[in-house]
Amino acid sequence: MGLNRRTFLNTILGGGFLGWLGSFFYPVLTFLVPPKIPEANVQSVNAGAIADIPPNSSKILKFGRIPVLLIRTKTGKFSAVAATCTHLDCTVQYRKDRQDIWCACHNGTYNLAGRNISGPPPKPLNQYVINIVDKEVLISKPKQVG
Amino acid sequence: MFKKTIDWLDERFNIQPLFEFMSHKEVPVHKHSLWYYMGGVAMILFVVQAMTGMLLLLYYQPGVDSAYESIRFITTKVSFGWLFRSVHSWSANLMVFFVFVHMFSAFFTRTYAKPRELTWVTGAVLFLLAMVFGFSGYLLPWNELAFFATKVGTDIAGAVPIIGEPIKVLLRGGDSVTGATLSRFYAFHIALLPAIFTVMLFLHLLFVQRQGMHEPEFFKELPTEKKRMMPFFPNFILRDVLLWGVILNILLYLAVFFPWELGVKADAFAPAPEGIRPEWYFMFMFQSLKLLPAHFLIMEGEVFGILFFGIGGLVWFSVPFWDVYIKESIRPKVLKWFGIIVIIFILIMTAWGYLV
Amino acid sequence: MKRLIMSIFCIHLAIIFMAATALGQEKSRFDKNDQCVICHKDLEAMPENFEESDIHMQKGLSCAGCHGGDSTSDDEEVAKRKGSGFIGVPKGKAIIEMCGKCHSDIAFMRQYQPRIATDQVQQYAKSFHGQKLAKGDTKVATCASCHMAHSIFPAIDPRSTIYSLNIPETCHKCHSDEEYMKEYNIPTNQYDKYVKSVHGIALLEKQDTGAPACNDCHGNHGAMPPGISSIGHICGTCHVNNQAYFSKSKMAIEFEEADLHACEECHGNHEIQKTHDDMVGTGETSTCVECHDEGESAYETAEKIHTELIGLVTAFNSANVLLKKIERVGMDDLDMSYAVKDAKQRLLSARTLVHTFDADRVKVKTDEGLEFAKKALAFGKEELDELDFRRFGFGIATFFMTIVLVALYFKIKDMERDE
């Protein structure tokens, strides 16, 4: 009986110890695996291959927590601006017909460099830097002004 | 296999005496034995701090623009990041708590007396380091409460006569709390303090092991055959482990059910939010300083408060060196009441700080 | 020899440098031989508000340029003699003519500013001020009333009385003076109302120079109160969508038939306040019920629009509260914050669509908004569930851990009993 009790205790302790090791190493090891977005302060985002973005089109990308509007003009040039209107934070869009940036909420317009050209927006949109590396479009943080 | 390894090591490093020592070491068993475990608990919590801290370092980015974001990143995007962050915060508080308990139990059982003066002194240093650890770590998430608490805390340091202002500038890395302060606190928190702390902890443990467990007066007077002892290894260690298990469980419970909040990102130019308060272990000092009038005796109230706590701390931590001057017959009584008054003062001030 | 060349070189360099600095500095505006200034300064008889950096002074147009006379003579008798062209202080029409002499002549003006307008005198003639002046009323504003006479600055100069931030103050000088305005029978409280309005606050407190001052609605040289038909267009220069929706609505036609003042009817004029959702609907603060009574279909429409808006606002607010909570406890708020943003955008659009007075169009937007608010709440709930799941998972872990600890306890007991 005493022996059985001892074996029983030892089994529980041994198993418990192993379980404990597991419950220690599992979180630690998964913690070490970098998440999909590898850092908190996103410095640049890959917008995909040039070929996948036809001229005179646009798309919204998530630059960390900030939506960014990537535009490819009719002539094939790229431009990226913060997609949040400086008036009341609506999301702006690229107008294929007029080839400018337009905010639907109050009809504000910006040119493709993000300058506010009509309507209520009080400030230009932040312009992001575009780099083409290996036929892929990389968008990186706007240079701080001042 | 195990034995072979030991033999191999013994042959080279002569570790047998270590085992001899371990097997002979005994821990007294009496009604105050419980207090022997408090230091161990504080130590295991320090180990937890070191481990979770190292993990957090993998993702934390100091800096005004990145500190808060990186912690949000840890708690939201990194697998189990929330757990390690929460455990780190809770464990820090528990550690300070157990350091307090350990210190007061050592005071009341008067373990600091000859020949253990240096154990007490290293303990005092560890206590102060733990507080500074807490203070510096509090700022690292760069949230609103931490920002203003640091501002107030360093302001208090700046009120110290003569050396205060340079100390303040040194702490802040400039005239006000900025990104420079964050960098500094980060360096203190992850490099400077751990290094000193580890050395001190090593010394502290070395002294304890070398001198053996302290026996209280009444226990010493017992005849040898009536002294109940417990082997340090494995009995005491196993009990230690049992208690550590319980504490770790409580820690996990706190971390999961009361996850440490992220707060609102600090904005240096926002008005100070309501209810800025320091961490609880600074509360009694903070509250006392708040209660002092603008002018007290011949000096500013704040300066008086700082001097009071400075001298008070010095008296407290130098107790092994002056208690011998008290007449032996009344010594235990005097010290007991001294300790009780200190505890009551701390408790009242802390409660006051939270209730008002 | 080398040293000599070197020092000569250095001296030259120093001279050139000094000359350059002297040129770079603003030269004193006065011609040293301008006897008008010399005498008037001596006698301390310079005009009030005189500024040396006045634009005309800067460009070399001194006293005699406007007042006539001979500025080369230090004798007053000679300087102001007949035939010297001295006109003294011009009044009324004479001011307009005097300024117009140069300012209506593009051939002259473009030397200074190629793009400058030269139609001010023409415009002025058609303004209320100009019409009154033509009839002989000399109390009305002329060029110098707004631009000043001796401290004229371009409109972009913050010192200027016609800098956008200073315009309300400039008009207010006369228009708020009850005594002065008595005979014209118009209100004098426009300024007091304006400073409390959303435009006044934006311009004067927030210093947003994009916000309209008096002249942005009334015009400057051709100042007039806008007519009924033009109010919509005037507001519409900035509030583009609102104007576009309104002008195509049923309401616009009916307004016109009833001689009602478009935007002004609901929003007021000088004292325009920030809008709120209860301006539409059937509540106490609603502007709809000023004309529409219960039982009319318009009354129902108003009620419907209001219900739609409030519905979305409520959903948006609760999503926002949850978002704040999610952020504070440190759960993942990214997807949720995007959805909340989308909901807000629909809310803003829906509010603008109120100006169609078409409940169905508003409903389309608010429904979209509700969808996003719902999505946001779902994201938020997911995060909270995740928080609960952690607790549950931990509960299980604790259970096993407790068993191990109990086992350890008995193990110690066993061990000590054996000894």
Side-chain angles (χ1 to χ4, degrees):
Chain A
M1 188 65 190
L3 198 72
N4 274 347
R5 178 189 158 100
R6 180 174 291 176
T7 344
F8 177 66
L9 277 181
N10 282 348
T11 319
I12 288 189
L13 278 174
F17 182 68
L18 284 181
W20 187 82
L21 278 185
S23 64
F24 173 75
F25 279 108
Y26 175 68
V28 169
L29 290 177
T30 53
F31 182 88
L32 296 179
V33 176
K36 267 184 211 143
I37 313 161
E39 57 181 345
N41 261 1
V42 178
Q43 296 296 325
S44 72
V45 161
N46 190 332
I50 295 183
D52 297 340
I53 311 166
N56 200 19
S57 76
S58 69
K59 64 179 185 180
I60 299 253
L61 303 161
K62 283 182 188 174
F63 196 93
R65 309 179 63 81
I66 307 163
V68 166
L69 178 68
L70 173 70
I71 298 166
R72 187 159 189 206
T73 64
K74 257 188 172 167
T75 53
K77 279 187 182 165
F78 286 97
S79 160
V81 293
T84 306
C85 183
T86 54
H87 177 225
L88 287 173
D89 296 342
C90 290
T91 304
V92 297
Q93 51 187 286
Y94 174 63
R95 285 278 296 254
K96 284 184 188 181
D97 51 342
R98 306 193 311 208
Q99 288 158 45
D100 61 11
I101 299 167
W102 180 64
C103 178
C105 287
H106 300 97
N107 213 344
T109 41
Y110 304 84
N111 70 11
L112 295 184
R115 290 242 164 241
N116 44 332
I117 46 179
S118 85
K123 279 182 294 196
L125 300 167
N126 270 341
Q127 200 175 9
Y128 285 69
V129 178
I130 300 266
N131 283 302
I132 309 279
V133 179
D134 289 340
K135 294 187 178 168
E136 300 212 318
V137 185
L138 290 177
I139 302 173
S140 45
K141 269 197 166 173
K143 293 216 172 70
Q144 289 294 320
V145 181
Chain B
M1 176 68 191
F2 182 69
K3 199 177 172 309
K4 259 191 180 168
T5 319
I6 298 293
D7 288 345
W8 190 88
L9 283 171
D10 189 38
E11 200 183 332
R12 283 156 183 85
F13 299 105
N14 187 25
I15 55 172
Q16 211 52 50
L18 209 63
F19 284 100
E20 288 282 306
F21 174 75
M22 290 268 277
S23 57
H24 288 132
K25 190 182 163 177
E26 285 184 319
V27 179
V29 180
H30 51 78
K31 59 180 176 178
H32 292 311
S33 283
L34 178 67
W35 304 116
Y36 288 138
Y37 295 95
M38 294 302 130
V41 171
M43 188 186 75
I44 195 69
L45 288 170
F46 175 71
V47 173
V48 170
Q49 283 306 85
M51 292 200 293
T52 51
M54 280 187 261
L55 288 176
L56 292 175
L57 266 183
L58 297 182
Y59 294 103
Y60 178 73
Q61 297 176 326
V64 173
D65 295 325
S66 54
Y68 180 84
E69 279 75 9
S70 65
I71 293 198
R72 173 157 61 193
F73 180 72
I74 291 172
T75 58
T76 59
K77 294 286 178 215
V78 183
S79 171
F80 288 103
W82 57 272
L83 181 67
F84 292 120
R85 197 255 157 164
S86 204
V87 165
H88 194 74
S89 303
W90 272 113
S91 173
N93 284 281
L94 287 183
M95 178 176 128
V96 174
F97 175 76
F98 280 102
V99 167
F100 263 101
V101 174
H102 182 48
M103 181 177 75
F104 278 107
S105 67
F107 183 85
F108 284 114
T109 48
R110 303 196 38 238
T111 55
Y112 55 77
K114 191 182 170 190
R116 295 185 175 78
E117 298 97 326
L118 286 183
T119 318
W120 172 262
V121 170
T122 49
V125 176
L126 287 171
F127 169 79
L128 294 175
L129 287 176
M131 305 272 275
V132 183
F133 250 129
F135 186 66
S136 59
Y138 195 48
L139 180 68
L140 298 188
W142 198 247
N143 60 29
E144 210 173 42
L145 280 179
F147 177 82
F148 285 102
T150 305
K151 213 167 175 168
V152 174
T154 43
D155 264 336
I156 290 173
V160 176
I162 308 164
I163 53 163
E165 200 56 33
I167 286 184
K168 186 174 93 180
V169 172
L170 216 67
L171 280 176
R172 287 181 174 179
D175 287 329
S176 46
V177 177
T178 58
T181 321
L182 183 58
S183 297
R184 254 159 216 250
F185 276 37
Y186 175 67
F188 294 154
H189 193 80
I190 69 137
L192 199 61
L193 293 173
I196 307 175
F197 197 95
T198 311
V199 172
M200 281 295 154
L201 185 60
F202 177 76
L203 285 178
H204 193 70
L205 293 175
L206 186 73
F207 293 161
V208 172
Q209 295 305 324
R210 188 84 188 110
Q211 295 176 323
M213 291 306 208
H214 166 262
E215 297 176 3
E217 290 305 312
F218 70 88
F219 191 84
K220 252 186 242 172
E221 285 157 13
L222 290 174
T224 323
E225 65 276 10
K226 277 209 170 159
K227 281 186 182 176
R228 273 187 61 214
M229 288 295 209
M230 180 202 289
F232 180 74
F233 186 86
N235 299 43
F236 187 78
I237 285 285
L238 277 180
R239 275 158 203 266
D240 248 350
V241 170
L242 180 63
L243 185 60
W244 293 351
V246 173
I247 295 290
L248 288 180
N249 229 6
I250 292 174
L251 182 60
L252 272 180
Y253 177 84
L254 290 169
V256 174
F257 283 84
F258 305 96
W260 209 265
E261 291 191 349
L262 186 58
V264 181
K265 189 179 175 178
D267 175 1
F269 303 108
E274 287 271 311
I276 310 165
R277 50 170 67 132
E279 296 261 67
W280 58 268
Y281 39 87
F282 291 115
M283 191 48 126
F284 71 98
M285 291 195 268
F286 182 71
Q287 182 62 21
S288 318
L289 290 178
K290 226 162 77 177
L291 290 177
L292 281 168
H295 280 277
F296 194 78
L297 300 179
I298 48 157
M299 52 189 112
E300 272 179 53
E302 204 176 26
V303 175
F304 173 81
I306 291 164
L307 284 179
F308 172 78
F309 281 112
I311 293 169
L314 214 61
V315 170
W316 177 260
F317 290 123
S318 60
V319 62
F321 305 103
W322 54 257
D323 82 332
V324 284
Y325 296 108
I326 305 172
K327 232 199 287 168
E328 210 171 338
S329 55
I330 56 161
R331 193 186 296 162
K333 237 188 184 157
V334 169
L335 287 163
K336 190 172 114 190
W337 281 106
F338 178 55
I340 287 175
I341 288 169
V342 170
I343 286 194
I344 288 177
F345 173 77
I346 290 179
L347 286 181
I348 287 181
M349 281 302 167
T350 308
W352 195 337
Y354 278 100
L355 293 178
V356 177
Chain C
M1 188 59 192
K2 235 183 181 175
R3 276 176 64 179
L4 186 67
I5 293 176
M6 200 61 196
S7 50
I8 291 174
F9 177 66
C10 284
I11 291 166
H12 267 94
L13 209 65
I15 291 172
I16 290 169
F17 180 68
M18 271 152 60
T21 349
L23 277 174
Q25 277 169 356
E26 282 195 350
K27 252 200 324 199
S28 176
R29 310 285 167 234
F30 304 119
D31 184 348
K32 267 190 207 138
N33 302 317
D34 191 328
Q35 296 298 338
C36 311
V37 178
I38 294 170
C39 258
H40 278 262
K41 265 207 163 162
D42 266 359
L43 297 168
E44 290 184 2
M46 292 295 275
E48 209 186 339
N49 296 329
F50 176 80
E51 286 279 352
E52 248 183 70
S53 46
D54 171 279
I55 181 90
H56 290 139
M57 277 306 220
Q58 279 191 43
K59 305 288 180 199
L61 185 75
S62 189
C63 316
C66 296
H67 296 285
D70 181 358
S71 65
T72 56
S73 168
D74 58 356
D75 183 344
E76 191 182 355
E77 299 281 315
V78 182
K80 296 180 180 173
R81 70 178 189 275
K82 269 201 175 157
S84 68
F86 180 71
I87 57 166
V89 179
K91 287 241 157 39
K93 277 184 201 167
I95 297 179
I96 313 292
E97 281 160 19
M98 182 185 77
C99 298
K101 223 170 31 185
C102 301
H103 278 275
S104 298
D105 181 1
I106 188 64
F108 178 77
M109 288 308 291
R110 75 173 153 230
Q111 308 172 62
Y112 298 97
Q113 221 184 314
R115 298 190 320 149
I116 200 167
T118 48
D119 56 350
Q120 296 94 335
V121 171
Q122 268 180 330
Q123 282 199 23
Y124 179 77
K126 291 192 176 138
S127 75
F128 226 90
H129 295 139
Q131 287 172 10
K132 287 255 165 206
L133 183 70
K135 287 179 194 151
D137 183 348
T138 52
K139 277 176 77 180
V140 294
T142 60
C143 314
S145 318
C146 302
H147 292 278
M148 312 302 283
H150 302 104
S151 49
I152 301 175
F153 297 103
I156 49 161
D157 190 322
R159 290 172 297 180
S160 169
T161 47
I162 52 156
Y163 178 62
S164 53
L165 296 186
N166 302 334
I167 284 176
E169 189 65 37
T170 301
C171 301
H172 149 83
K173 264 190 315 196
C174 299
H175 279 273
S176 295
D177 188 336
E178 272 177 50
E179 200 54 42
Y180 195 82
M181 299 301 291
K182 212 171 183 179
E183 59 191 274
Y184 301 106
N185 253 333
I186 58 171
T188 49
N189 57 0
Q190 301 94 332
Y191 179 81
D192 294 336
K193 282 180 161 182
Y194 172 78
V195 291
K196 282 183 250 155
S197 76
V198 52
H199 294 139
I201 290 169
L203 183 73
L204 301 173
E205 279 178 29
K206 298 183 187 157
Q207 311 243 310
D208 177 355
T209 50
C214 316
N215 65 323
D216 289 295
C217 300
H218 295 281
N220 23 23
H221 300 107
M224 267 283 190
I228 292 174
S229 57
S230 58
I231 287 178
H233 298 296
I234 288 168
C235 303
T237 47
C238 298
H239 302 276
V240 191
N241 276 0
N242 311 46
Q243 140 81 2
Y245 291 148
F246 178 80
S247 63
K248 283 185 200 131
S249 70
K250 286 186 290 186
M251 201 82 100
I253 304 165
E254 281 171 37
F255 263 44
E256 220 172 302
E257 281 167 4
D259 270 358
L260 291 174
H261 292 196
C263 319
E264 196 190 342
E265 286 305 328
C266 300
H267 295 283
N269 44 32
H270 296 111
E271 203 175 9
I272 294 175
Q273 292 301 310
K274 194 171 165 47
T275 52
H276 55 87
D277 294 320
D278 293 334
M279 280 176 74
V280 63
T282 52
E284 263 175 39
T285 49
S286 160
T287 52
C288 309
V289 292
E290 284 169 21
C291 303
H292 299 292
D293 294 320
E294 213 168 336
E296 286 179 51
S297 71
Y299 189 87
E300 273 169 38
T301 304
E303 200 162 21
K304 246 195 227 161
I305 291 178
H306 183 248
T307 317
E308 291 299 333
L309 283 183
I310 295 300
L312 181 51
V313 168
T314 316
F316 171 74
N317 284 347
S318 56
N320 222 3
V321 168
L322 185 60
L323 178 65
K324 288 277 168 306
K325 183 178 172 187
I326 299 284
E327 277 171 1
R328 191 169 38 81
V329 298
M331 296 300 286
D332 193 356
D333 62 334
L334 189 60
D335 292 331
M336 189 180 179
S337 69
Y338 269 87
V340 166
K341 224 174 180 179
D342 281 328
K344 188 187 167 196
Q345 177 157 355
R346 299 311 181 280
L347 176 61
L348 287 174
S349 299
R351 281 173 176 159
T352 310
L353 278 169
V354 168
H355 300 93
T356 59
F357 308 104
D358 182 343
D360 294 337
R361 285 187 72 180
V362 174
K363 189 170 160 37
V364 170
K365 266 294 159 213
T366 50
D367 283 350
E368 274 177 37
L370 280 175
E371 209 49 52
F372 279 112
K374 243 190 243 163
K375 221 164 113 187
L377 285 170
F379 279 131
K381 200 176 161 297
E382 232 171 73
E383 290 301 315
L384 290 184
D385 286 348
E386 163 75 16
L387 203 64
D388 282 342
F389 176 72
R390 289 173 185 179
R391 291 176 184 172
F392 175 72
F394 169 73
I396 295 174
T398 321
F399 176 70
F400 286 110
M401 194 131 166
T402 313
I403 292 180
V404 173
L405 290 176
V406 170
L408 182 60
Y409 174 77
F410 282 113
K411 177 88 189 164
I412 294 170
K413 279 266 135 85
D414 275 7
M415 195 177 66
E416 284 175 0
R417 204 183 38 216
D418 290 349
E419 274 163 15

